[in-house]
mmCIF file of all heavy atoms in Angstrom:
data_model
loop_
_atom_site.group_PDB
_atom_site.id
_atom_site.type_symbol
_atom_site.label_atom_id
_atom_site.label_comp_id
_atom_site.label_asym_id
_atom_site.label_seq_id
_atom_site.Cartn_x
_atom_site.Cartn_y
_atom_site.Cartn_z
ATOM 1 N N ARG A 23 -9.226 6.318 -14.136
ATOM 2 C CA ARG A 23 -8.141 5.337 -14.258
ATOM 3 C C ARG A 23 -6.944 5.960 -14.974
ATOM 4 O O ARG A 23 -5.786 5.698 -14.642
ATOM 5 C CB ARG A 23 -8.632 4.106 -15.018
ATOM 6 C CG ARG A 23 -7.610 2.979 -15.119
ATOM 7 C CD ARG A 23 -8.208 1.800 -15.889
ATOM 8 N NE ARG A 23 -7.314 0.657 -15.928
ATOM 9 C CZ ARG A 23 -6.316 0.483 -16.808
ATOM 10 N NH1 ARG A 23 -6.082 1.446 -17.721
ATOM 11 N NH2 ARG A 23 -5.555 -0.585 -16.776
ATOM 12 N N ALA A 24 -7.215 6.806 -15.983
ATOM 13 C CA ALA A 24 -6.132 7.432 -16.744
ATOM 14 C C ALA A 24 -5.272 8.324 -15.856
ATOM 15 O O ALA A 24 -4.050 8.421 -16.045
ATOM 16 C CB ALA A 24 -6.707 8.244 -17.905
ATOM 17 N N LEU A 25 -5.888 8.973 -14.864
ATOM 18 C CA LEU A 25 -5.125 9.819 -13.945
ATOM 19 C C LEU A 25 -4.217 8.975 -13.062
ATOM 20 O O LEU A 25 -3.067 9.346 -12.787
ATOM 21 C CB LEU A 25 -6.084 10.635 -13.082
ATOM 22 C CG LEU A 25 -5.435 11.556 -12.042
ATOM 23 C CD1 LEU A 25 -4.609 12.643 -12.717
ATOM 24 C CD2 LEU A 25 -6.508 12.181 -11.151
ATOM 25 N N VAL A 26 -4.711 7.823 -12.619
ATOM 26 C CA VAL A 26 -3.900 6.913 -11.807
ATOM 27 C C VAL A 26 -2.716 6.414 -12.629
ATOM 28 O O VAL A 26 -1.579 6.362 -12.145
ATOM 29 C CB VAL A 26 -4.752 5.743 -11.298
ATOM 30 C CG1 VAL A 26 -3.886 4.696 -10.613
ATOM 31 C CG2 VAL A 26 -5.824 6.245 -10.336
ATOM 32 N N GLU A 27 -2.968 6.059 -13.883
ATOM 33 C CA GLU A 27 -1.873 5.598 -14.744
ATOM 34 C C GLU A 27 -0.825 6.702 -14.925
ATOM 35 O O GLU A 27 0.386 6.446 -14.835
ATOM 36 C CB GLU A 27 -2.403 5.172 -16.110
ATOM 37 C CG GLU A 27 -1.292 4.752 -17.061
ATOM 38 C CD GLU A 27 -1.791 4.265 -18.416
ATOM 39 O OE1 GLU A 27 -3.013 4.307 -18.653
ATOM 40 O OE2 GLU A 27 -0.948 3.835 -19.242
ATOM 41 N N GLN A 28 -1.299 7.918 -15.180
ATOM 42 C CA GLN A 28 -0.362 9.029 -15.378
ATOM 43 C C GLN A 28 0.479 9.265 -14.134
ATOM 44 O O GLN A 28 1.687 9.526 -14.218
ATOM 45 C CB GLN A 28 -1.141 10.286 -15.761
ATOM 46 C CG GLN A 28 -0.261 11.447 -16.206
ATOM 47 C CD GLN A 28 -1.071 12.638 -16.685
ATOM 48 O OE1 GLN A 28 -2.296 12.586 -16.782
ATOM 49 N NE2 GLN A 28 -0.400 13.742 -16.956
ATOM 50 N N SER A 29 -0.153 9.174 -12.956
ATOM 51 C CA SER A 29 0.586 9.368 -11.708
ATOM 52 C C SER A 29 1.624 8.277 -11.493
ATOM 53 O O SER A 29 2.747 8.544 -11.054
ATOM 54 C CB SER A 29 -0.390 9.399 -10.528
ATOM 55 O OG SER A 29 -1.218 10.535 -10.585
ATOM 56 N N LEU A 30 1.249 7.037 -11.795
ATOM 57 C CA LEU A 30 2.194 5.931 -11.666
ATOM 58 C C LEU A 30 3.393 6.126 -12.587
ATOM 59 O O LEU A 30 4.542 5.955 -12.181
ATOM 60 C CB LEU A 30 1.505 4.610 -11.998
ATOM 61 C CG LEU A 30 0.840 3.854 -10.859
ATOM 62 C CD1 LEU A 30 0.080 2.648 -11.400
ATOM 63 C CD2 LEU A 30 1.857 3.412 -9.833
ATOM 64 N N ARG A 31 3.100 6.465 -13.834
ATOM 65 C CA ARG A 31 4.192 6.638 -14.798
ATOM 66 C C ARG A 31 5.077 7.821 -14.429
ATOM 67 O O ARG A 31 6.272 7.837 -14.745
ATOM 68 C CB ARG A 31 3.625 6.791 -16.207
ATOM 69 C CG ARG A 31 2.943 5.525 -16.721
ATOM 70 C CD ARG A 31 2.673 5.559 -18.214
ATOM 71 N NE ARG A 31 2.033 4.341 -18.667
ATOM 72 C CZ ARG A 31 2.669 3.190 -18.889
ATOM 73 N NH1 ARG A 31 3.979 3.116 -18.706
ATOM 74 N NH2 ARG A 31 2.014 2.122 -19.299
ATOM 75 N N GLY A 32 4.513 8.803 -13.738
ATOM 76 C CA GLY A 32 5.324 9.930 -13.288
ATOM 77 C C GLY A 32 6.164 9.622 -12.072
ATOM 78 O O GLY A 32 7.007 10.423 -11.682
ATOM 79 N N SER A 33 5.948 8.442 -11.470
ATOM 80 C CA SER A 33 6.673 8.067 -10.255
ATOM 81 C C SER A 33 7.848 7.148 -10.525
ATOM 82 O O SER A 33 8.714 6.994 -9.660
ATOM 83 C CB SER A 33 5.721 7.370 -9.268
ATOM 84 O OG SER A 33 4.650 8.218 -8.915
ATOM 85 N N VAL A 34 7.866 6.505 -11.688
ATOM 86 C CA VAL A 34 8.893 5.502 -11.953
ATOM 87 C C VAL A 34 9.720 5.887 -13.162
ATOM 88 O O VAL A 34 9.267 6.617 -14.050
ATOM 89 C CB VAL A 34 8.267 4.103 -12.164
ATOM 90 C CG1 VAL A 34 7.480 3.678 -10.938
ATOM 91 C CG2 VAL A 34 7.399 4.049 -13.410
ATOM 92 N N GLU A 35 10.933 5.388 -13.201
ATOM 93 C CA GLU A 35 11.805 5.576 -14.354
ATOM 94 C C GLU A 35 11.634 4.429 -15.341
ATOM 95 O O GLU A 35 11.609 4.633 -16.557
ATOM 96 C CB GLU A 35 13.257 5.680 -13.895
ATOM 97 C CG GLU A 35 14.258 5.941 -15.013
ATOM 98 C CD GLU A 35 14.129 7.329 -15.629
ATOM 99 O OE1 GLU A 35 13.442 8.198 -15.037
ATOM 100 O OE2 GLU A 35 14.711 7.553 -16.710
ATOM 101 N N LYS A 36 11.475 3.220 -14.828
ATOM 102 C CA LYS A 36 11.306 2.044 -15.686
ATOM 103 C C LYS A 36 9.829 1.871 -16.025
ATOM 104 O O LYS A 36 9.066 1.249 -15.283
ATOM 105 C CB LYS A 36 11.862 0.791 -14.994
ATOM 106 C CG LYS A 36 13.375 0.768 -14.949
ATOM 107 C CD LYS A 36 13.888 -0.622 -14.621
ATOM 108 C CE LYS A 36 15.397 -0.706 -14.777
ATOM 109 N NZ LYS A 36 15.911 -2.077 -14.510
ATOM 110 N N GLN A 37 9.430 2.418 -17.150
ATOM 111 C CA GLN A 37 8.023 2.424 -17.528
ATOM 112 C C GLN A 37 7.465 1.024 -17.792
ATOM 113 O O GLN A 37 6.255 0.798 -17.673
ATOM 114 C CB GLN A 37 7.825 3.288 -18.773
ATOM 115 C CG GLN A 37 8.154 4.756 -18.553
ATOM 116 C CD GLN A 37 7.200 5.427 -17.578
ATOM 117 O OE1 GLN A 37 5.993 5.367 -17.755
ATOM 118 N NE2 GLN A 37 7.746 6.059 -16.547
ATOM 119 N N ALA A 38 8.314 0.088 -18.099
ATOM 120 C CA ALA A 38 7.845 -1.258 -18.441
ATOM 121 C C ALA A 38 7.150 -1.953 -17.273
ATOM 122 O O ALA A 38 6.357 -2.871 -17.486
ATOM 123 C CB ALA A 38 9.019 -2.114 -18.932
ATOM 124 N N ILE A 39 7.408 -1.509 -16.050
ATOM 125 C CA ILE A 39 6.766 -2.191 -14.906
ATOM 126 C C ILE A 39 5.303 -1.793 -14.763
ATOM 127 O O ILE A 39 4.539 -2.466 -14.065
ATOM 128 C CB ILE A 39 7.500 -1.923 -13.585
ATOM 129 C CG1 ILE A 39 7.270 -0.483 -13.107
ATOM 130 C CG2 ILE A 39 8.987 -2.231 -13.692
ATOM 131 C CD1 ILE A 39 7.622 -0.247 -11.668
ATOM 132 N N VAL A 40 4.904 -0.698 -15.410
ATOM 133 C CA VAL A 40 3.521 -0.216 -15.284
ATOM 134 C C VAL A 40 2.666 -0.930 -16.328
ATOM 135 O O VAL A 40 2.621 -0.544 -17.492
ATOM 136 C CB VAL A 40 3.438 1.312 -15.466
ATOM 137 C CG1 VAL A 40 2.004 1.790 -15.303
ATOM 138 C CG2 VAL A 40 4.354 2.016 -14.488
ATOM 139 N N ASP A 41 1.984 -1.992 -15.913
ATOM 140 C CA ASP A 41 1.104 -2.729 -16.817
ATOM 141 C C ASP A 41 -0.346 -2.564 -16.377
ATOM 142 O O ASP A 41 -0.643 -1.896 -15.387
ATOM 143 C CB ASP A 41 1.496 -4.209 -16.877
ATOM 144 C CG ASP A 41 1.470 -4.889 -15.517
ATOM 145 O OD1 ASP A 41 0.902 -4.314 -14.558
ATOM 146 O OD2 ASP A 41 2.024 -6.001 -15.399
ATOM 147 N N ASP A 42 -1.266 -3.169 -17.117
ATOM 148 C CA ASP A 42 -2.688 -3.009 -16.821
ATOM 149 C C ASP A 42 -3.045 -3.515 -15.425
ATOM 150 O O ASP A 42 -3.862 -2.898 -14.722
ATOM 151 C CB ASP A 42 -3.531 -3.740 -17.865
ATOM 152 C CG ASP A 42 -3.573 -3.004 -19.201
ATOM 153 O OD1 ASP A 42 -3.281 -1.793 -19.221
ATOM 154 O OD2 ASP A 42 -3.888 -3.633 -20.221
ATOM 155 N N ALA A 43 -2.448 -4.623 -15.021
ATOM 156 C CA ALA A 43 -2.762 -5.184 -13.701
ATOM 157 C C ALA A 43 -2.338 -4.233 -12.593
ATOM 158 O O ALA A 43 -3.052 -4.050 -11.591
ATOM 159 C CB ALA A 43 -2.085 -6.538 -13.529
ATOM 160 N N MET A 44 -1.177 -3.595 -12.750
ATOM 161 C CA MET A 44 -0.688 -2.658 -11.744
ATOM 162 C C MET A 44 -1.589 -1.426 -11.680
ATOM 163 O O MET A 44 -1.959 -0.968 -10.582
ATOM 164 C CB MET A 44 0.748 -2.245 -12.084
ATOM 165 C CG MET A 44 1.403 -1.329 -11.059
ATOM 166 S SD MET A 44 3.084 -0.895 -11.597
ATOM 167 C CE MET A 44 3.704 -0.026 -10.163
ATOM 168 N N ILE A 45 -1.969 -0.902 -12.839
ATOM 169 C CA ILE A 45 -2.846 0.271 -12.870
ATOM 170 C C ILE A 45 -4.189 -0.049 -12.221
ATOM 171 O O ILE A 45 -4.715 0.718 -11.405
ATOM 172 C CB ILE A 45 -3.042 0.751 -14.323
ATOM 173 C CG1 ILE A 45 -1.704 1.183 -14.927
ATOM 174 C CG2 ILE A 45 -4.044 1.906 -14.368
ATOM 175 C CD1 ILE A 45 -1.748 1.350 -16.436
ATOM 176 N N ASP A 46 -4.755 -1.191 -12.576
ATOM 177 C CA ASP A 46 -6.048 -1.584 -12.002
ATOM 178 C C ASP A 46 -5.960 -1.712 -10.485
ATOM 179 O O ASP A 46 -6.874 -1.297 -9.759
ATOM 180 C CB ASP A 46 -6.515 -2.917 -12.597
ATOM 181 C CG ASP A 46 -7.074 -2.769 -14.005
ATOM 182 O OD1 ASP A 46 -7.408 -1.633 -14.401
ATOM 183 O OD2 ASP A 46 -7.174 -3.787 -14.715
ATOM 184 N N ARG A 47 -4.866 -2.298 -9.993
ATOM 185 C CA ARG A 47 -4.721 -2.493 -8.545
ATOM 186 C C ARG A 47 -4.676 -1.150 -7.828
ATOM 187 O O ARG A 47 -5.389 -0.937 -6.839
ATOM 188 C CB ARG A 47 -3.453 -3.296 -8.251
ATOM 189 C CG ARG A 47 -3.303 -3.636 -6.772
ATOM 190 C CD ARG A 47 -2.037 -4.434 -6.514
ATOM 191 N NE ARG A 47 -0.851 -3.619 -6.536
ATOM 192 C CZ ARG A 47 0.178 -3.798 -7.350
ATOM 193 N NH1 ARG A 47 0.159 -4.767 -8.251
ATOM 194 N NH2 ARG A 47 1.236 -3.010 -7.287
ATOM 195 N N TYR A 48 -3.863 -0.221 -8.311
ATOM 196 C CA TYR A 48 -3.792 1.094 -7.680
ATOM 197 C C TYR A 48 -5.141 1.809 -7.771
ATOM 198 O O TYR A 48 -5.583 2.437 -6.802
ATOM 199 C CB TYR A 48 -2.707 1.946 -8.351
ATOM 200 C CG TYR A 48 -1.332 1.781 -7.763
ATOM 201 C CD1 TYR A 48 -0.510 0.716 -8.130
ATOM 202 C CD2 TYR A 48 -0.823 2.703 -6.844
ATOM 203 C CE1 TYR A 48 0.765 0.569 -7.596
ATOM 204 C CE2 TYR A 48 0.443 2.573 -6.304
ATOM 205 C CZ TYR A 48 1.234 1.497 -6.684
ATOM 206 O OH TYR A 48 2.488 1.356 -6.154
ATOM 207 N N TRP A 49 -5.774 1.737 -8.930
ATOM 208 C CA TRP A 49 -7.035 2.438 -9.152
ATOM 209 C C TRP A 49 -8.155 1.881 -8.279
ATOM 210 O O TRP A 49 -8.891 2.630 -7.636
ATOM 211 C CB TRP A 49 -7.408 2.332 -10.631
ATOM 212 C CG TRP A 49 -8.654 3.066 -11.031
ATOM 213 C CD1 TRP A 49 -8.983 4.355 -10.730
ATOM 214 C CD2 TRP A 49 -9.731 2.549 -11.815
ATOM 215 N NE1 TRP A 49 -10.198 4.679 -11.282
ATOM 216 C CE2 TRP A 49 -10.680 3.596 -11.961
ATOM 217 C CE3 TRP A 49 -9.973 1.322 -12.420
ATOM 218 C CZ2 TRP A 49 -11.867 3.430 -12.680
ATOM 219 C CZ3 TRP A 49 -11.148 1.163 -13.142
ATOM 220 C CH2 TRP A 49 -12.079 2.196 -13.262
ATOM 221 N N GLU A 50 -8.263 0.570 -8.228
ATOM 222 C CA GLU A 50 -9.347 -0.046 -7.470
ATOM 223 C C GLU A 50 -9.139 0.071 -5.962
ATOM 224 O O GLU A 50 -10.087 0.317 -5.208
ATOM 225 C CB GLU A 50 -9.507 -1.510 -7.883
ATOM 226 C CG GLU A 50 -10.029 -1.661 -9.305
ATOM 227 C CD GLU A 50 -10.101 -3.103 -9.777
ATOM 228 O OE1 GLU A 50 -9.414 -3.970 -9.199
ATOM 229 O OE2 GLU A 50 -10.841 -3.361 -10.744
ATOM 230 N N LEU A 51 -7.901 -0.073 -5.509
ATOM 231 C CA LEU A 51 -7.648 0.036 -4.067
ATOM 232 C C LEU A 51 -7.697 1.484 -3.582
ATOM 233 O O LEU A 51 -8.043 1.736 -2.426
ATOM 234 C CB LEU A 51 -6.310 -0.610 -3.712
ATOM 235 C CG LEU A 51 -6.270 -2.139 -3.852
ATOM 236 C CD1 LEU A 51 -4.899 -2.681 -3.460
ATOM 237 C CD2 LEU A 51 -7.359 -2.801 -3.014
ATOM 238 N N LEU A 52 -7.389 2.428 -4.445
ATOM 239 C CA LEU A 52 -7.549 3.829 -4.068
ATOM 240 C C LEU A 52 -9.017 4.130 -3.787
ATOM 241 O O LEU A 52 -9.339 4.966 -2.934
ATOM 242 C CB LEU A 52 -7.027 4.741 -5.185
ATOM 243 C CG LEU A 52 -7.159 6.245 -4.969
ATOM 244 C CD1 LEU A 52 -6.454 6.688 -3.696
ATOM 245 C CD2 LEU A 52 -6.613 7.010 -6.168
ATOM 246 N N ARG A 53 -9.906 3.406 -4.465
ATOM 247 C CA ARG A 53 -11.345 3.618 -4.301
ATOM 248 C C ARG A 53 -11.964 2.646 -3.291
ATOM 249 O O ARG A 53 -13.191 2.592 -3.148
ATOM 250 C CB ARG A 53 -12.028 3.478 -5.665
ATOM 251 C CG ARG A 53 -11.679 4.620 -6.599
ATOM 252 C CD ARG A 53 -11.907 4.287 -8.076
ATOM 253 N NE ARG A 53 -13.203 3.661 -8.281
ATOM 254 C CZ ARG A 53 -13.394 2.565 -9.035
ATOM 255 N NH1 ARG A 53 -12.357 1.992 -9.645
ATOM 256 N NH2 ARG A 53 -14.595 2.062 -9.176
ATOM 257 N N PHE A 54 -11.143 1.896 -2.573
ATOM 258 C CA PHE A 54 -11.636 1.054 -1.485
ATOM 259 C C PHE A 54 -12.248 1.983 -0.432
ATOM 260 O O PHE A 54 -11.728 3.073 -0.183
ATOM 261 C CB PHE A 54 -10.475 0.255 -0.890
ATOM 262 C CG PHE A 54 -10.888 -0.819 0.090
ATOM 263 C CD1 PHE A 54 -11.302 -2.063 -0.350
ATOM 264 C CD2 PHE A 54 -10.849 -0.581 1.455
ATOM 265 C CE1 PHE A 54 -11.669 -3.058 0.547
ATOM 266 C CE2 PHE A 54 -11.219 -1.561 2.362
ATOM 267 C CZ PHE A 54 -11.634 -2.808 1.900
ATOM 268 N N PRO A 55 -13.356 1.587 0.199
ATOM 269 C CA PRO A 55 -14.046 2.489 1.122
ATOM 270 C C PRO A 55 -13.133 3.153 2.154
ATOM 271 O O PRO A 55 -12.423 2.489 2.894
ATOM 272 C CB PRO A 55 -15.072 1.569 1.795
ATOM 273 C CG PRO A 55 -15.387 0.549 0.749
ATOM 274 C CD PRO A 55 -14.077 0.304 0.046
ATOM 275 N N GLY A 56 -13.162 4.478 2.155
ATOM 276 C CA GLY A 56 -12.395 5.265 3.117
ATOM 277 C C GLY A 56 -11.048 5.733 2.621
ATOM 278 O O GLY A 56 -10.471 6.667 3.198
ATOM 279 N N ASN A 57 -10.521 5.130 1.549
ATOM 280 C CA ASN A 57 -9.154 5.457 1.146
ATOM 281 C C ASN A 57 -9.031 6.827 0.497
ATOM 282 O O ASN A 57 -8.038 7.529 0.705
ATOM 283 C CB ASN A 57 -8.605 4.375 0.209
ATOM 284 C CG ASN A 57 -8.219 3.117 0.949
ATOM 285 O OD1 ASN A 57 -8.206 3.089 2.180
ATOM 286 N ND2 ASN A 57 -7.911 2.050 0.224
ATOM 287 N N ARG A 58 -10.027 7.232 -0.280
ATOM 288 C CA ARG A 58 -9.928 8.552 -0.905
ATOM 289 C C ARG A 58 -10.080 9.667 0.132
ATOM 290 O O ARG A 58 -9.368 10.680 0.074
ATOM 291 C CB ARG A 58 -10.962 8.687 -2.032
ATOM 292 C CG ARG A 58 -10.586 7.894 -3.278
ATOM 293 C CD ARG A 58 -11.508 8.161 -4.436
ATOM 294 N NE ARG A 58 -12.837 7.596 -4.220
ATOM 295 C CZ ARG A 58 -13.817 7.650 -5.124
ATOM 296 N NH1 ARG A 58 -13.613 8.264 -6.285
ATOM 297 N NH2 ARG A 58 -14.992 7.105 -4.875
ATOM 298 N N GLU A 59 -10.972 9.470 1.070
ATOM 299 C CA GLU A 59 -11.092 10.451 2.150
ATOM 300 C C GLU A 59 -9.783 10.538 2.930
ATOM 301 O O GLU A 59 -9.318 11.632 3.277
ATOM 302 C CB GLU A 59 -12.234 10.070 3.094
ATOM 303 C CG GLU A 59 -12.390 11.045 4.258
ATOM 304 C CD GLU A 59 -13.310 10.534 5.346
ATOM 305 O OE1 GLU A 59 -13.450 9.303 5.501
ATOM 306 O OE2 GLU A 59 -13.881 11.374 6.069
ATOM 307 N N ALA A 60 -9.168 9.386 3.204
ATOM 308 C CA ALA A 60 -7.896 9.376 3.931
ATOM 309 C C ALA A 60 -6.809 10.098 3.155
ATOM 310 O O ALA A 60 -5.976 10.810 3.740
ATOM 311 C CB ALA A 60 -7.474 7.927 4.207
ATOM 312 N N THR A 61 -6.801 9.949 1.838
ATOM 313 C CA THR A 61 -5.813 10.628 1.000
ATOM 314 C C THR A 61 -5.917 12.137 1.164
ATOM 315 O O THR A 61 -4.914 12.842 1.302
ATOM 316 C CB THR A 61 -6.015 10.243 -0.474
ATOM 317 O OG1 THR A 61 -5.784 8.842 -0.636
ATOM 318 C CG2 THR A 61 -5.063 11.002 -1.381
ATOM 319 N N VAL A 62 -7.149 12.636 1.167
ATOM 320 C CA VAL A 62 -7.368 14.073 1.321
ATOM 321 C C VAL A 62 -6.976 14.540 2.725
ATOM 322 O O VAL A 62 -6.338 15.583 2.891
ATOM 323 C CB VAL A 62 -8.841 14.410 1.021
ATOM 324 C CG1 VAL A 62 -9.157 15.846 1.420
ATOM 325 C CG2 VAL A 62 -9.137 14.208 -0.462
ATOM 326 N N LEU A 63 -7.325 13.776 3.728
ATOM 327 C CA LEU A 63 -6.961 14.149 5.095
ATOM 328 C C LEU A 63 -5.442 14.164 5.275
ATOM 329 O O LEU A 63 -4.899 15.040 5.954
ATOM 330 C CB LEU A 63 -7.616 13.188 6.090
ATOM 331 C CG LEU A 63 -9.141 13.277 6.196
ATOM 332 C CD1 LEU A 63 -9.685 12.196 7.118
ATOM 333 C CD2 LEU A 63 -9.568 14.657 6.677
ATOM 334 N N ARG A 64 -4.738 13.205 4.678
ATOM 335 C CA ARG A 64 -3.274 13.175 4.783
ATOM 336 C C ARG A 64 -2.655 14.384 4.102
ATOM 337 O O ARG A 64 -1.637 14.915 4.563
ATOM 338 C CB ARG A 64 -2.696 11.892 4.158
ATOM 339 C CG ARG A 64 -2.893 10.651 4.958
ATOM 340 C CD ARG A 64 -1.943 9.548 4.516
ATOM 341 N NE ARG A 64 -1.790 9.450 3.083
ATOM 342 C CZ ARG A 64 -2.606 8.816 2.269
ATOM 343 N NH1 ARG A 64 -3.676 8.216 2.745
ATOM 344 N NH2 ARG A 64 -2.379 8.780 0.970
ATOM 345 N N ALA A 65 -3.254 14.807 2.996
ATOM 346 C CA ALA A 65 -2.705 15.948 2.260
ATOM 347 C C ALA A 65 -2.763 17.225 3.089
ATOM 348 O O ALA A 65 -2.014 18.170 2.833
ATOM 349 C CB ALA A 65 -3.464 16.135 0.946
ATOM 350 N N ARG A 66 -3.643 17.270 4.074
ATOM 351 C CA ARG A 66 -3.793 18.461 4.912
ATOM 352 C C ARG A 66 -3.036 18.345 6.234
ATOM 353 O O ARG A 66 -3.048 19.278 7.037
ATOM 354 C CB ARG A 66 -5.276 18.698 5.183
ATOM 355 C CG ARG A 66 -6.086 18.941 3.922
ATOM 356 C CD ARG A 66 -7.586 18.888 4.199
ATOM 357 N NE ARG A 66 -7.985 19.888 5.198
ATOM 358 C CZ ARG A 66 -9.217 19.966 5.692
ATOM 359 N NH1 ARG A 66 -10.134 19.106 5.312
ATOM 360 N NH2 ARG A 66 -9.510 20.888 6.575
#
């Protein structure tokens, strides 16, 4: 989760928008079945 938070904060200028709910949403949906594999395939 800490890596997801760090990535989010590195993407935005207005840090105040990054709250716990936003971090949880990105973190949990990234781990939705198939999404991490898709991330790796897209990177290639």
Side-chain angles (χ1 to χ4, degrees):
R23 184 180 184 276
L25 179 64
V26 172
E27 177 178 3
Q28 189 175 355
S29 293
L30 270 174
R31 293 194 180 281
S33 300
V34 301
E35 183 69 14
K36 287 196 171 182
Q37 296 294 307
I39 72 164
V40 181
D41 58 14
D42 285 340
M44 183 181 187
I45 298 166
D46 283 343
R47 185 180 76 239
Y48 272 82
W49 183 49
E50 292 176 340
L51 291 181
L52 178 58
R53 291 159 47 226
F54 190 83
N57 284 351
R58 286 187 290 183
E59 179 192 26
T61 297
V62 170
L63 292 175
R64 286 198 319 277
R66 299 168 59 186

